[in-house]
Coordinates of all heavy atoms in Angstrom, one line a residue:
M1 N 11.4 -1.7 16.2 CA 10.0 -2.1 16.2 C 9.6 -2.5 17.7 O 10.3 -3.2 18.3 CB 9.7 -3.3 15.3 CG 8.3 -3.8 15.3 SD 7.9 -4.9 14.0 CE 8.1 -6.4 14.9
T2 N 8.4 -2.1 18.1 CA 8.0 -2.4 19.4 C 6.6 -3.0 19.4 O 5.7 -2.6 18.6 CB 7.9 -1.1 20.3 OG1 9.1 -0.4 20.3 CG2 7.4 -1.3 21.7
K3 N 6.4 -4.1 20.1 CA 5.1 -4.7 20.2 C 4.7 -4.7 21.6 O 5.4 -5.0 22.5 CB 5.3 -6.2 19.7 CG 4.0 -7.0 19.8 CD 4.2 -8.4 19.3 CE 3.0 -9.2 19.5 NZ 3.2 -10.6 19.2
I4 N 3.4 -4.3 21.9 CA 2.9 -4.2 23.2 C 1.6 -5.0 23.3 O 0.7 -4.9 22.5 CB 2.6 -2.7 23.6 CG1 3.9 -1.9 23.5 CG2 2.0 -2.6 25.0 CD1 3.7 -0.4 23.7
E5 N 1.5 -5.8 24.4 CA 0.3 -6.6 24.7 C -0.1 -6.2 26.1 O 0.8 -6.3 27.0 CB 0.5 -8.1 24.5 CG 0.9 -8.5 23.1 CD 1.2 -10.0 23.1 OE1 0.9 -10.7 24.1 OE2 1.8 -10.4 22.1
E6 N -1.3 -5.9 26.3 CA -1.8 -5.6 27.7 C -2.6 -6.7 28.2 O -3.5 -7.2 27.6 CB -2.5 -4.3 27.7 CG -1.7 -3.1 27.4 CD -2.4 -1.7 27.7 OE1 -3.2 -1.7 28.6 OE2 -2.1 -0.8 26.9
K7 N -2.4 -7.0 29.5 CA -3.2 -8.0 30.2 C -3.7 -7.4 31.5 O -2.9 -6.8 32.2 CB -2.3 -9.3 30.6 CG -1.8 -10.0 29.4 CD -1.0 -11.2 29.8 CE -0.5 -11.9 28.6 NZ 0.3 -13.1 28.9
T8 N -4.9 -7.5 31.8 CA -5.5 -6.9 33.0 C -5.9 -8.0 33.9 O -6.3 -9.1 33.5 CB -6.7 -6.0 32.7 OG1 -7.6 -6.7 32.0 CG2 -6.2 -4.8 31.9
G9 N -5.7 -7.8 35.2 CA -6.0 -8.8 36.2 C -6.4 -8.0 37.4 O -6.6 -6.8 37.4
V10 N -6.2 -8.7 38.6 CA -6.5 -8.0 39.8 C -5.3 -7.1 40.1 O -4.1 -7.4 39.9 CB -6.6 -9.0 41.0 CG1 -6.8 -8.3 42.3 CG2 -7.7 -10.0 40.7
G11 N -5.6 -5.8 40.4 CA -4.5 -4.9 40.7 C -4.0 -4.2 39.5 O -4.8 -3.7 38.7
T12 N -2.7 -4.3 39.2 CA -2.1 -3.5 38.2 C -2.1 -4.3 36.9 O -1.9 -5.6 36.9 CB -0.6 -3.3 38.5 OG1 -0.6 -2.6 39.8 CG2 0.1 -2.4 37.5
A13 N -2.3 -3.6 35.8 CA -2.3 -4.3 34.4 C -0.8 -4.7 34.1 O 0.1 -3.9 34.5 CB -2.8 -3.4 33.4
I14 N -0.7 -5.8 33.5 CA 0.7 -6.2 33.1 C 0.7 -6.1 31.6 O -0.2 -6.4 30.8 CB 0.9 -7.7 33.5 CG1 0.9 -7.8 35.0 CG2 2.2 -8.2 32.9 CD1 1.0 -9.3 35.5
V15 N 1.8 -5.5 31.1 CA 2.0 -5.2 29.7 C 3.2 -6.0 29.2 O 4.3 -5.9 29.8 CB 2.3 -3.7 29.5 CG1 2.5 -3.4 28.0 CG2 1.1 -2.9 30.0
R16 N 3.0 -6.8 28.2 CA 4.1 -7.5 27.6 C 4.7 -6.7 26.5 O 3.9 -6.2 25.6 CB 3.6 -8.9 27.0 CG 4.8 -9.6 26.3 CD 4.3 -11.0 25.8 NE 4.0 -11.9 26.9 CZ 4.9 -12.6 27.6 NH1 6.2 -12.5 27.3 NH2 4.6 -13.4 28.6
L17 N 6.0 -6.4 26.5 CA 6.6 -5.5 25.6 C 7.7 -6.2 24.8 O 8.6 -6.9 25.4 CB 7.2 -4.3 26.3 CG 7.9 -3.3 25.6 CD1 7.0 -2.5 24.6 CD2 8.5 -2.3 26.6
S18 N 7.7 -6.1 23.5 CA 8.8 -6.7 22.7 C 9.6 -5.5 22.1 O 9.0 -4.7 21.4 CB 8.2 -7.6 21.6 OG 9.2 -8.0 20.7
V19 N 10.9 -5.5 22.4 CA 11.7 -4.3 21.9 C 12.9 -4.8 21.2 O 13.6 -5.8 21.7 CB 12.1 -3.4 23.1 CG1 13.0 -2.3 22.7 CG2 10.9 -3.0 23.9
N20 N 13.3 -4.2 20.1 CA 14.5 -4.6 19.4 C 15.6 -3.7 20.0 O 15.5 -2.5 20.0 CB 14.4 -4.3 17.9 CG 13.4 -5.2 17.3 OD1 13.3 -6.4 17.7 ND2 12.7 -4.7 16.3
L21 N 16.7 -4.3 20.4 CA 17.9 -3.6 21.0 C 19.1 -3.9 20.2 O 19.3 -5.1 19.7 CB 18.1 -4.0 22.4 CG 17.1 -3.7 23.4 CD1 17.4 -4.2 24.8 CD2 16.9 -2.1 23.6
A22 N 20.0 -3.0 20.1 CA 21.3 -3.2 19.5 C 22.1 -4.2 20.4 O 21.8 -4.3 21.6 CB 22.1 -1.9 19.3
A23 N 23.0 -4.9 19.8 CA 23.7 -6.0 20.6 C 24.4 -5.3 21.8 O 24.4 -5.9 22.9 CB 24.7 -6.7 19.7
D24 N 25.0 -4.2 21.6 CA 25.7 -3.6 22.8 C 24.8 -3.1 23.9 O 25.1 -3.2 25.1 CB 26.6 -2.4 22.3 CG 25.8 -1.3 21.7 OD1 24.7 -1.5 21.1 OD2 26.4 -0.1 21.7
A25 N 23.6 -2.7 23.5 CA 22.6 -2.3 24.5 C 22.1 -3.6 25.3 O 21.9 -3.5 26.5 CB 21.4 -1.6 23.9
M26 N 21.9 -4.7 24.6 CA 21.5 -5.9 25.2 C 22.6 -6.4 26.1 O 22.4 -6.9 27.2 CB 21.2 -7.0 24.2 CG 20.5 -8.2 24.7 SD 18.9 -7.8 25.5 CE 18.9 -9.0 26.8
D27 N 23.9 -6.3 25.7 CA 25.0 -6.7 26.5 C 25.0 -5.9 27.8 O 25.3 -6.4 28.9 CB 26.3 -6.5 25.8 CG 26.5 -7.5 24.7 OD1 25.8 -8.5 24.6 OD2 27.4 -7.3 23.8
T28 N 24.8 -4.6 27.7 CA 24.7 -3.7 28.9 C 23.6 -4.1 29.8 O 23.8 -4.2 31.0 CB 24.6 -2.3 28.5 OG1 25.8 -1.9 27.7 CG2 24.6 -1.3 29.7
L29 N 22.4 -4.4 29.2 CA 21.3 -4.8 30.0 C 21.6 -6.1 30.8 O 21.3 -6.2 32.0 CB 20.0 -4.9 29.1 CG 18.7 -5.3 29.8 CD1 18.3 -4.3 30.9 CD2 17.6 -5.5 28.8
R30 N 22.1 -7.0 30.1 CA 22.5 -8.3 30.8 C 23.5 -8.1 31.9 O 23.4 -8.7 33.0 CB 23.0 -9.3 29.8 CG 22.0 -9.9 28.9 CD 22.6 -11.1 28.1 NE 21.5 -11.7 27.3 CZ 21.5 -11.6 25.9 NH1 22.5 -11.0 25.3 NH2 20.5 -12.1 25.3
W31 N 24.5 -7.2 31.6 CA 25.6 -6.9 32.6 C 24.9 -6.3 33.8 O 25.3 -6.7 35.0 CB 26.6 -6.0 32.0 CG 27.7 -5.7 33.0 CD1 28.8 -6.4 33.3 CD2 27.8 -4.5 33.8 NE1 29.6 -5.7 34.2 CE2 28.9 -4.6 34.6 CE3 26.9 -3.4 34.0 CZ2 29.3 -3.6 35.5 CZ3 27.3 -2.4 34.9 CH2 28.5 -2.5 35.6
L32 N 24.0 -5.3 33.6 CA 23.4 -4.7 34.8 C 22.5 -5.7 35.6 O 22.6 -5.7 36.8 CB 22.5 -3.6 34.3 CG 23.2 -2.3 33.8 CD1 22.2 -1.4 33.0 CD2 23.8 -1.6 34.9
A33 N 21.8 -6.6 34.9 CA 21.0 -7.6 35.6 C 21.9 -8.5 36.4 O 21.6 -8.8 37.5 CB 20.2 -8.3 34.5
N34 N 22.9 -9.0 35.7 CA 23.8 -10.0 36.4 C 24.5 -9.3 37.6 O 24.7 -10.0 38.7 CB 24.9 -10.5 35.5 CG 24.3 -11.5 34.5 OD1 23.3 -12.1 34.7 ND2 24.9 -11.5 33.3
R35 N 24.9 -8.1 37.5 CA 25.6 -7.3 38.6 C 24.7 -7.3 39.8 O 25.3 -7.4 40.9 CB 25.9 -5.9 38.1 CG 26.6 -5.1 39.1 CD 27.1 -3.8 38.5 NE 28.0 -3.2 39.4 CZ 27.9 -1.9 39.8 NH1 26.9 -1.2 39.3 NH2 28.7 -1.4 40.6
R36 N 23.4 -7.2 39.7 CA 22.5 -7.1 40.9 C 21.8 -8.4 41.1 O 21.0 -8.5 42.1 CB 21.5 -6.0 40.6 CG 22.1 -4.6 40.5 CD 22.4 -4.1 41.9 NE 22.9 -2.7 41.8 CZ 23.2 -2.0 42.8 NH1 23.0 -2.5 44.0 NH2 23.7 -0.8 42.6
G37 N 22.0 -9.4 40.3 CA 21.3 -10.7 40.4 C 19.8 -10.5 40.2 O 19.0 -11.2 40.8
L38 N 19.5 -9.7 39.2 CA 18.1 -9.4 38.9 C 17.7 -10.0 37.5 O 18.6 -10.3 36.7 CB 17.8 -7.9 38.8 CG 18.1 -7.1 40.1 CD1 18.1 -5.6 39.8 CD2 17.2 -7.5 41.2
S39 N 16.4 -10.1 37.3 CA 15.9 -10.5 36.0 C 16.1 -9.3 35.0 O 16.2 -8.2 35.4 CB 14.5 -10.9 36.0 OG 13.6 -9.8 36.4
L40 N 16.0 -9.6 33.7 CA 16.0 -8.5 32.7 C 14.8 -7.6 32.9 O 14.9 -6.4 32.8 CB 16.0 -9.1 31.3 CG 17.3 -9.8 30.9 CD1 17.1 -10.4 29.5 CD2 18.5 -9.0 31.0
T41 N 13.7 -8.2 33.2 CA 12.4 -7.4 33.4 C 12.6 -6.5 34.6 O 12.3 -5.3 34.5 CB 11.2 -8.4 33.7 OG1 11.1 -9.2 32.5 CG2 10.0 -7.6 34.0
E42 N 13.1 -7.0 35.7 CA 13.3 -6.1 36.9 C 14.3 -5.0 36.6 O 14.2 -3.9 37.1 CB 13.7 -6.9 38.1 CG 13.8 -6.1 39.4 CD 12.6 -5.3 39.8 OE1 11.4 -5.7 39.4 OE2 12.7 -4.3 40.5
T43 N 15.4 -5.3 35.9 CA 16.4 -4.4 35.5 C 15.8 -3.2 34.7 O 16.0 -2.1 34.9 CB 17.5 -5.0 34.8 OG1 18.1 -6.1 35.6 CG2 18.6 -4.0 34.5
I44 N 14.9 -3.6 33.8 CA 14.3 -2.6 32.9 C 13.3 -1.7 33.8 O 13.3 -0.5 33.6 CB 13.5 -3.2 31.8 CG1 14.5 -3.8 30.8 CG2 12.6 -2.3 31.1 CD1 13.9 -4.8 29.7
R45 N 12.6 -2.4 34.7 CA 11.7 -1.6 35.6 C 12.5 -0.6 36.4 O 12.0 0.6 36.5 CB 11.0 -2.6 36.6 CG 9.8 -3.3 36.0 CD 9.1 -4.0 37.1 NE 8.2 -5.0 36.5 CZ 8.3 -6.4 36.8 NH1 9.2 -6.8 37.6 NH2 7.5 -7.2 36.2
R46 N 13.6 -1.0 36.9 CA 14.4 -0.1 37.7 C 15.0 1.1 36.9 O 15.0 2.2 37.3 CB 15.5 -0.8 38.4 CG 15.0 -1.7 39.5 CD 16.1 -2.4 40.2 NE 15.6 -3.3 41.3 CZ 16.3 -3.7 42.3 NH1 17.6 -3.4 42.4 NH2 15.8 -4.5 43.2
A47 N 15.4 0.7 35.7 CA 15.9 1.8 34.8 C 14.8 2.8 34.4 O 15.1 4.0 34.4 CB 16.4 1.1 33.5
I48 N 13.6 2.4 34.2 CA 12.5 3.3 34.0 C 12.3 4.2 35.2 O 12.1 5.4 35.1 CB 11.3 2.5 33.5 CG1 11.5 1.9 32.2 CG2 10.0 3.4 33.6 CD1 10.4 0.8 31.8
T49 N 12.3 3.6 36.4 CA 12.1 4.3 37.6 C 13.2 5.4 37.8 O 12.9 6.5 38.2 CB 12.1 3.4 38.8 OG1 11.0 2.4 38.6 CG2 11.9 4.1 40.1
V50 N 14.4 5.0 37.5 CA 15.5 6.0 37.6 C 15.4 7.1 36.6 O 15.5 8.3 37.0 CB 16.9 5.3 37.5 CG1 18.0 6.3 37.3 CG2 17.1 4.4 38.7
L51 N 15.0 6.8 35.4 CA 14.8 7.8 34.4 C 13.7 8.8 34.7 O 13.8 10.0 34.6 CB 14.6 7.2 33.0 CG 14.4 8.2 31.8 CD1 15.6 9.1 31.7 CD2 14.2 7.4 30.5
K52 N 12.6 8.2 35.3 CA 11.5 9.0 35.7 C 11.9 10.0 36.8 O 11.5 11.2 36.8 CB 10.3 8.1 36.2 CG 9.1 8.8 36.8 CD 8.2 9.5 35.8 CE 6.9 9.9 36.4 NZ 6.9 11.1 37.3
F53 N 12.7 9.5 37.8 CA 13.2 10.3 38.9 C 14.0 11.5 38.3 O 13.8 12.7 38.7 CB 14.0 9.5 39.8 CG 14.7 10.4 40.8 CD1 14.1 10.9 41.9 CD2 16.1 10.6 40.7 CE1 14.8 11.7 42.8 CE2 16.8 11.4 41.6 CZ 16.2 11.9 42.7
I54 N 14.9 11.2 37.4 CA 15.7 12.2 36.8 C 14.9 13.2 36.0 O 15.1 14.4 36.2 CB 16.8 11.5 35.8 CG1 17.8 10.8 36.6 CG2 17.4 12.6 34.9 CD1 18.7 9.9 35.8
E55 N 14.0 12.8 35.2 CA 13.1 13.7 34.5 C 12.3 14.6 35.4 O 12.2 15.8 35.2 CB 12.2 13.0 33.6 CG 12.9 12.3 32.4 CD 13.5 13.2 31.4 OE1 13.0 14.4 31.3 OE2 14.3 12.8 30.7
D56 N 11.8 14.0 36.5 CA 11.0 14.8 37.5 C 11.9 15.9 38.1 O 11.4 17.0 38.3 CB 10.4 13.9 38.6 CG 9.3 13.0 38.1 OD1 8.7 13.3 37.0 OD2 8.9 12.1 38.9
E57 N 13.1 15.5 38.5 CA 14.0 16.5 39.1 C 14.4 17.6 38.2 O 14.4 18.8 38.6 CB 15.3 15.8 39.7 CG 15.0 14.9 40.8 CD 14.4 15.6 42.0 OE1 14.9 16.7 42.4 OE2 13.4 15.1 42.6
V58 N 14.7 17.3 36.9 CA 15.0 18.3 35.9 C 13.8 19.2 35.7 O 13.9 20.4 35.6 CB 15.5 17.6 34.6 CG1 15.6 18.7 33.5 CG2 16.8 17.0 34.9
D59 N 12.6 18.6 35.6 CA 11.4 19.4 35.5 C 11.2 20.4 36.6 O 10.6 21.5 36.4 CB 10.1 18.5 35.3 CG 10.1 17.8 34.0 OD1 10.8 18.1 33.1 OD2 9.2 16.8 33.9
K60 N 11.6 20.1 37.8 CA 11.5 21.0 39.0 C 12.6 22.1 38.9 O 12.6 22.9 39.8 CB 11.7 20.2 40.3 CG 10.5 19.3 40.6 CD 10.8 18.6 41.9 CE 10.4 17.2 42.0 NZ 10.8 16.5 43.3
G61 N 13.5 22.0 38.0 CA 14.6 23.0 37.9 C 15.8 22.6 38.7 O 16.7 23.3 38.8
N62 N 15.8 21.3 39.2 CA 17.0 20.9 39.9 C 18.1 20.4 39.0 O 17.8 20.1 37.8 CB 16.6 19.7 40.9 CG 15.6 20.2 42.0 OD1 15.7 21.4 42.4 ND2 14.7 19.3 42.4
K63 N 19.3 20.3 39.6 CA 20.4 19.8 38.8 C 20.8 18.5 39.3 O 20.7 18.2 40.5 CB 21.6 20.8 38.9 CG 21.3 22.2 38.3 CD 22.5 23.1 38.5 CE 22.2 24.5 37.9 NZ 23.3 25.4 38.0
L64 N 21.4 17.7 38.4 CA 22.0 16.4 38.8 C 23.5 16.5 38.9 O 24.1 17.2 38.1 CB 21.6 15.3 37.8 CG 20.1 15.1 37.6 CD1 19.8 14.2 36.4 CD2 19.4 14.6 38.8
A65 N 24.1 15.8 39.8 CA 25.5 15.9 40.0 C 26.1 14.6 40.5 O 25.4 13.8 41.1 CB 25.9 17.0 40.9
V66 N 27.4 14.4 40.2 CA 28.1 13.3 40.8 C 29.2 13.9 41.7 O 29.8 14.9 41.4 CB 28.9 12.5 39.6 CG1 29.8 11.5 40.2 CG2 27.9 11.9 38.7
V67 N 29.3 13.3 42.9 CA 30.3 13.8 43.8 C 31.4 12.7 43.8 O 31.2 11.6 44.2 CB 29.7 13.9 45.3 CG1 30.8 14.4 46.2 CG2 28.5 14.9 45.3
E68 N 32.6 13.2 43.4 CA 33.7 12.3 43.3 C 34.6 12.5 44.6 O 34.8 13.7 45.0 CB 34.6 12.6 42.1 CG 33.9 12.3 40.8 CD 34.7 12.7 39.6 OE1 35.6 13.5 39.7 OE2 34.5 12.1 38.6
T69 N 35.2 11.5 45.1 CA 36.1 11.6 46.2 C 37.5 11.1 45.7 O 37.5 9.9 45.3 CB 35.6 10.8 47.4 OG1 34.3 11.2 47.8 CG2 36.6 11.0 48.6
D70 N 38.5 11.9 45.8 CA 39.8 11.4 45.4 C 40.5 10.6 46.5 O 40.0 10.4 47.6 CB 40.7 12.6 44.9 CG 41.0 13.6 45.9 OD1 40.9 13.3 47.1 OD2 41.4 14.7 45.6
A71 N 41.7 10.2 46.2 CA 42.5 9.4 47.2 C 42.8 10.1 48.5 O 43.0 9.5 49.5 CB 43.8 9.0 46.5
N72 N 42.8 11.5 48.5 CA 43.0 12.3 49.7 C 41.7 12.6 50.4 O 41.8 13.4 51.4 CB 43.7 13.6 49.3 CG 45.1 13.3 48.7 OD1 45.8 12.4 49.1 ND2 45.4 14.1 47.7
G73 N 40.6 12.1 50.0 CA 39.3 12.4 50.6 C 38.7 13.7 50.2 O 37.7 14.1 50.7
Q74 N 39.3 14.4 49.2 CA 38.7 15.6 48.7 C 37.6 15.3 47.8 O 37.7 14.4 47.0 CB 39.8 16.4 47.9 CG 40.9 16.9 48.8 CD 40.5 18.0 49.8 OE1 39.7 18.8 49.4 NE2 41.0 17.9 51.0
E75 N 36.5 16.1 47.9 CA 35.3 15.9 47.1 C 35.3 16.9 46.0 O 35.7 18.1 46.1 CB 34.1 16.0 47.9 CG 33.9 14.8 48.8 CD 32.6 14.8 49.5 OE1 31.9 15.8 49.5 OE2 32.2 13.8 50.1
R76 N 34.8 16.5 44.8 CA 34.6 17.3 43.6 C 33.3 17.0 43.1 O 32.9 15.9 42.9 CB 35.7 17.0 42.6 CG 35.6 17.9 41.4 CD 36.8 17.7 40.4 NE 36.6 16.4 39.7 CZ 36.8 16.2 38.4 NH1 37.2 17.2 37.7 NH2 36.6 15.1 37.9
V77 N 32.5 18.1 42.8 CA 31.2 17.9 42.3 C 31.2 18.2 40.8 O 31.7 19.2 40.3 CB 30.2 18.8 43.0 CG1 28.8 18.7 42.4 CG2 30.1 18.6 44.5
R78 N 30.6 17.2 40.0 CA 30.5 17.4 38.6 C 29.0 17.4 38.2 O 28.3 16.5 38.6 CB 31.2 16.3 37.8 CG 32.6 16.3 37.8 CD 33.3 15.3 36.9 NE 32.8 14.0 37.2 CZ 32.7 13.0 36.2 NH1 33.0 13.3 35.0 NH2 32.3 11.8 36.6
E79 N 28.5 18.4 37.5 CA 27.1 18.5 37.1 C 26.9 17.6 35.9 O 27.8 17.5 35.0 CB 26.8 19.9 36.7 CG 25.3 20.1 36.4 CD 24.9 21.5 36.0 OE1 25.7 22.4 36.2 OE2 23.8 21.7 35.5
I80 N 25.8 16.9 35.9 CA 25.4 16.0 34.8 C 24.5 16.8 33.9 O 23.4 17.3 34.4 CB 24.7 14.8 35.3 CG1 25.6 14.0 36.2 CG2 24.2 13.9 34.1 CD1 24.9 12.8 36.9
L81 N 24.8 17.0 32.7 CA 24.0 17.7 31.7 C 23.3 16.7 30.8 O 23.9 15.8 30.3 CB 24.8 18.7 30.9 CG 25.5 19.7 31.7 CD1 26.4 20.6 30.7 CD2 24.6 20.6 32.4
L82 N 22.0 16.8 30.7 CA 21.2 15.9 29.9 C 20.9 16.5 28.6 O 20.5 17.6 28.5 CB 19.9 15.5 30.6 CG 20.0 14.9 32.0 CD1 18.7 14.7 32.6 CD2 20.8 13.6 31.9
V83 N 21.1 15.7 27.5 CA 20.8 16.1 26.2 C 19.5 15.6 25.8 O 19.2 14.4 26.0 CB 21.9 15.6 25.2 CG1 21.6 16.1 23.8 CG2 23.3 16.1 25.6
A84 N 18.6 16.5 25.3 CA 17.3 16.1 24.9 C 17.2 15.1 23.8 O 18.0 14.9 23.0 CB 16.4 17.3 24.5

C-alpha cells in the first residue's frame, strides 16, 4: 500500500510518501543509508536518480557493464542485463 501527500511551497513541491517494505528491503535501505551517513529520504532520492539514469541509458540503446579488476590488474567486463 502506498500513501502520497503533496505539499506545495516556494520552488519544488514536496511529496510525503508512505510505502510498505519487506523487512529485508528495509534492512538494505538502512544499511545503504548508514554506509554513506545519509538519511533514509536522501538514500531513496539517490536510488531513484540512479534507476532513472539506468532507464535513460537503456532507452538510448546503451548497455550497462561492470568492469572487474583481478589481483593481477587484468580487467574483465561483465554486461548487466535488466529484467523488465
